Amino acid sequence: MSPKEVVSRFYTSDLANNSQAIDTCFHKDCIINWHSSKGFRKLDFNTLKLVFEDIRRTYETLRFDISHMLEDGNDVMVRYSSYASTIENPYEEEPLAHFMVIWHVENGKIMKGFQMSQLADNSEASLNSFS
C-alpha cells in the first residue's frame, strides 16, 4: 500500500464510529505535532486515541472534505475541512475546522504528523476556497 493509500484509508475510515481506525492507520510510536487556533499540542498514539474517543462520544458523523492530497516519497500532504453532525442534531452537518497536514508513513502506518488547523469560518467564500 502506498503512503497516499495509507492516509486515504485513515480519512475514509468513518472515524466517528470506527474505534479501530487509529490502531489500523497509526504506528504505536507515532507523534503528531499540532498547531491549532487554541495553541500547540503534541500527541502520541494513546493521546490520539483519546481525541478520537471524544469525537465518537460527541459526534454522530465526521466527514473530511479533502481538496488536496499530494504524495512525495513517504510524505503525504493533505488540505481539508472537517464537518460533523452532533448526536443531538444528526441531520444537520456543521463545518468544524480547516486543516493542512503532512503525514510521514513508514511500513504501512502513519508515523509522524505535522498539522495546522483553525476553526472553520463557515462563510460561503471561505468554504468555497476549499473546492
Side-chain angles (χ1 to χ4, degrees):
M1 191 176 293
S2 74
K4 191 173 180 180
E5 291 170 327
V6 170
V7 171
S8 290
R9 180 177 60 181
F10 169 63
Y11 287 107
T12 59
S13 63
D14 189 14
L15 292 164
N17 298 298
N18 182 354
S19 63
Q20 298 303 309
I22 302 304
D23 293 308
T24 301
C25 299
F26 286 83
H27 191 279
K28 301 279 188 221
D29 295 325
C30 72
I31 296 292
I32 292 92
N33 294 291
W34 183 1
H35 294 270
S36 78
S37 55
K38 301 205 182 219
F40 176 74
R41 292 181 70 186
K42 189 170 201 149
L43 307 175
D44 61 14
F45 181 82
N46 292 324
T47 310
L48 185 63
K49 285 185 74 142
L50 291 173
V51 166
F52 282 98
E53 283 175 18
D54 283 344
I55 287 170
R56 283 191 300 281
R57 279 194 295 273
T58 305
Y59 298 109
E60 183 75 16
T61 65
L62 179 65
R63 179 178 66 83
F64 302 105
D65 187 10
I66 297 171
S67 64
H68 296 80
M69 185 179 291
L70 306 169
E71 181 180 53
D72 182 19
N74 288 334
D75 295 324
V76 179
M77 186 283 298
V78 187
R79 179 181 182 247
Y80 65 96
S81 296
S82 62
Y83 296 82
S85 62
T86 62
I87 293 166
E88 293 82 8
N89 192 4
Y91 303 108
E92 187 174 330
E93 188 177 69
E94 293 290 328
L96 297 178
H98 305 297
F99 294 85
M100 291 280 298
V101 61
I102 300 169
W103 296 116
H104 180 76
V105 177
E106 293 180 13
N107 300 317
K109 299 268 187 166
I110 299 171
M111 189 68 176
K112 295 178 194 169
F114 306 92
Q115 179 167 272
M116 292 189 303
S117 67
Q118 68 179 47
L119 293 175
D121 168 356
N122 60 2
S123 70
E124 187 175 335
S126 173
L127 295 176
N128 287 339
S129 75
F130 281 79
S131 299

